[in-house]
Amino acid sequence: MRKERTPIIAANWKMHNGPQQACSYIQALLSALPQAKRCGIVLCLPYVDLAAAAPLLRDTRMALGAQNLHWAPQGAYTGEISASMLTQLEVRYVIVGHSERRRLFGESDQDVNQKLRAALDAGLRPILCVGEDLEQRQLGAAMELIAYQLKTALSGVSAQELRQVIIAYEPIWAIGTGVSATPEQAGEVCTGIRQAIQQLYGAPAAQSVIIQYGGSMNEGNAAQLLSQEDIDGGLIGTASLDLDKFLSIVQTANQLCLEQQA
Ligand code: PEP
């Protein structure tokens, strides 16, 4: 991370924890967090938790996020949730294009683009996930694939709008496996992502865009991952379900921010 960019630590709970557990977690996290605001903190909760969580997060140093949305403003889409439904619940961030949605629910790059567009139009900050699987990495095709994912997802997004977008590099082989990318591997791809953004939007946009790493980040490896120059935070699945582990990652990010400002 670099001091010009405020890192964001985001939790992705996936399909874990109902409203009661969410409220207990948030209350405990709020009382354990230090007063000083350094890194951004976002909790991407299951849809059913959002209404209960919103009042607890109001006027705190944490923001509410969702894990998905539909691109249409309304309509006959049984089981889906629109961007304006999320904003009515005080949601400010939304994960778009998570690899689990791409792989398990068949979301294409074009779908991701439409969702990103819908999020931006509604004033939500999308956390755009990109990343390769193991075979693509072994073939040496990771960066080419990620550049394509970025270009497609960001089609029609202006430089001004890009300021609202957070990019999360999430190698599929590291998600939920307990095997993180090494800091060097993660740092190298995040640098490549910044270069790809530079090609699409120019240097100032590339220098300011927030790029997270996600994939088995935990309390033990966060410091090394977040020390990489182009990694500006983390998207955290498994470790975010454990309050102490998530808190420890937030504290690590805060500490690194402090050291940079010194
Ligand atoms: C994720 O799903 O976004 C993620 C990073 O999961 P985990 O931390 O469990 O690898």
Side-chain angles (χ1 to χ4, degrees), residues 5-58:
R5 298 185 289 263
T6 303
I8 297 179
I9 303 294
N12 173 15
W13 279 7
K14 314 190 186 192
M15 199 171 72
H16 294 283
N17 292 335
Q20 280 178 10
Q21 291 144 308
C23 290
S24 313
Y25 181 106
I26 290 167
Q27 276 155 347
L29 187 55
L30 280 171
S31 55
L33 278 177
Q35 285 305 310
K37 179 171 164 52
R38 299 194 200 284
C39 68
I41 307 170
V42 180
L43 300 181
C44 298
L45 307 183
Y47 286 140
V48 294
D49 295 355
L50 299 173
L56 298 179
L57 292 176
R58 201 175 293 145

Side-chain angles (χ1 to χ4, degrees), residues 12 14 98 100 129 170 174-178 214-217 235-239:
N12 173 15
K14 314 190 186 192
H98 191 281
E100 286 157 13
C129 299
E170 296 219 306
I175 295 180
T177 59
S216 299
M217 187 185 276
L235 181 56
I236 297 133
T238 310

Side-chain angles (χ1 to χ4, degrees), residues 229-250:
E229 180 166 325
D230 284 308
I231 299 183
D232 313 313
L235 181 56
I236 297 133
T238 310
S240 72
L241 295 171
D242 181 315
L243 180 72
D244 292 333
K245 292 183 181 173
F246 187 64
L247 186 59
S248 165
I249 297 170
V250 169

Side-chain angles (χ1 to χ4, degrees), residues 1 130-132 137 142-143 146 167-174 179-195 211-217 221-235:
M1 62 172 74
V130 294
E132 81 286 2
R137 169 159 281 264
M143 206 51 242
I146 291 167
I167 297 168
Y169 167 51
E170 296 219 306
I172 296 170
W173 47 273
V179 182
S180 167
T182 65
E184 294 72 26
Q185 286 172 324
E188 186 185 357
V189 176
C190 290
T191 301
I193 289 175
R194 209 174 290 288
Q195 285 163 354
I211 305 174
Q212 298 175 320
Y213 167 77
S216 299
M217 187 185 276
N221 59 25
Q224 276 195 305
L225 287 161
L226 295 173
S227 297
Q228 298 293 309
E229 180 166 325
D230 284 308
I231 299 183
D232 313 313
L235 181 56

Side-chain angles (χ1 to χ4, degrees), residues 91-148:
V91 171
R92 288 170 44 209
Y93 292 77
V94 61
I95 298 174
V96 173
H98 191 281
S99 60
E100 286 157 13
R101 299 239 31 111
R102 293 178 192 255
R103 280 186 310 121
L104 304 174
F105 301 99
E107 277 185 20
S108 67
D109 287 303
Q110 286 69 27
D111 295 336
V112 174
N113 173 246
Q114 290 197 77
K115 290 184 174 205
L116 191 100
R117 185 68 269 151
L120 289 170
D121 288 344
L124 289 163
R125 292 195 71 181
I127 300 176
L128 167 63
C129 299
V130 294
E132 81 286 2
D133 66 21
L134 193 55
E135 196 186 344
Q136 289 158 335
R137 169 159 281 264
Q138 285 167 344
L139 286 170
M143 206 51 242
E144 194 185 334
L145 171 92
I146 291 167
Y148 176 79

Side-chain angles (χ1 to χ4, degrees), residues 54-74:
L56 298 179
L57 292 176
R58 201 175 293 145
D59 301 323
T60 71
R61 47 168 306 194
M62 297 197 283
L64 188 57
Q67 300 170 16
N68 185 28
L69 80 168
H70 194 272
W71 57 78
Q74 62 199 19

